[in-house]
Amino acid sequence: MTETVAALQAELAALEDPRMREVNERHGDDHGINLSKLRAIAKRLKTDHELALELWATGETPARLLALLVCRPKAFAADELDAMLREARAPKVHDWLVSYVVKRSPHVEALRVRWFDDADAVVASAGWALTIDRVAKSPAGLDLVGLLDQIEAELVDAPERKQWAMNHCLAQIGISHPELRERAVAIGERLEVLKDYPTPPNCTSPFAPIWIAEIVRRQEVAG
């Protein structure tokens, strides 16, 4: 028997950690739940698309994260996913929706194109995130030089979420396409976006020239 949304909401509420919530809220995520515990609930529930729709309809971030783990990605129409993305203002919900659902949808390419130049920068960031995936895995048909032109023109003044996705795309082009690496590095060096971003030890800087050099080095070491 399907567990009720109310019971699951109560279970999620019981997992709230005020200190974790305080940290998450600095990044725009209104929850304080350990995501490993949330994944354990999803594992117990298994795939349940109808339940996922009910969880999403609550509008609550923890319930929506759980919904994205138990839904059936291929069951959503393109317009449904578009509406969901426009509602998904919490960064973690946005990221999971794109990574766990849209990327597994038969509508992924149509949505990439639809979102890429959207007037809403958060929506556009999803289009860029999907473009990063294509740059790395299936670049045939992409205008990589055109992407570099757009990044060079728009990166500095792009809103934060879109800027991070565009910067990642710049780095991915440099990493995945040796013939464009020199130009990608030069764009990063000239624009200096995220050059001074504080990077913890053992983590790779998001500054594109350093990011590109480090990943290429690792690939060469791995052979």
Side-chain angles (χ1 to χ4, degrees), residues 30-214:
D30 53 341
H31 76 89
I33 295 176
N34 180 302
L35 296 178
S36 295
K37 293 180 179 178
L38 189 139
R39 290 178 189 279
I41 297 173
K43 188 175 180 180
R44 183 187 80 219
L45 294 173
K46 301 184 174 62
T47 301
D48 188 332
H49 194 71
E50 292 306 314
L51 178 62
L53 295 177
E54 292 181 43
L55 288 165
W56 183 270
T58 67
E60 297 175 2
T61 291
R64 285 188 161 182
L65 291 172
L66 184 58
L68 296 171
L69 294 176
V70 302
C71 72
R72 188 174 290 105
K74 292 180 180 178
F76 290 110
D79 286 346
E80 282 181 285
L81 292 172
D82 180 72
M84 289 167 72
L85 186 83
R86 293 174 193 281
E87 291 177 14
R89 306 320 285 184
K92 186 62 71 175
V93 174
H94 174 103
D95 291 345
W96 281 20
L97 175 59
V98 173
S99 297
Y100 298 161
V101 182
V102 178
K103 286 184 181 179
R104 299 173 184 171
S105 163
H107 311 296
V108 59
E109 179 59 14
L111 290 170
R112 183 190 74 82
V113 172
R114 185 192 296 199
W115 293 336
F116 186 78
D117 284 319
D118 198 275
D120 183 327
V122 175
V123 173
S125 74
W128 279 89
L130 296 174
T131 300
I132 293 161
D133 221 40
R134 277 207 57 192
V135 166
K137 297 175 184 175
S138 56
L142 280 183
D143 179 3
L144 297 175
V145 172
L147 285 173
L148 288 177
D149 290 343
Q150 186 170 352
I151 291 166
E152 190 167 23
E154 300 176 12
L155 182 62
V156 170
D157 296 320
E160 184 180 13
R161 293 294 300 274
K162 186 176 179 181
Q163 185 183 68
W164 273 88
M166 293 177 78
N167 184 70
H168 188 169
C169 191
L170 173 64
Q172 196 64 56
I173 291 171
I175 291 162
S176 299
H177 300 277
E179 72 282 5
L180 295 172
R181 187 170 297 152
E182 185 177 347
R183 187 182 172 203
V185 169
I187 290 170
E189 287 176 342
R190 187 173 69 77
L191 300 183
E192 298 188 337
V193 169
L194 300 175
K195 183 176 182 179
D196 299 320
Y197 190 82
T199 305
N202 302 318
C203 291
T204 302
S205 169
F207 179 47
I210 295 176
W211 189 350
I212 292 166
E214 175 58 20

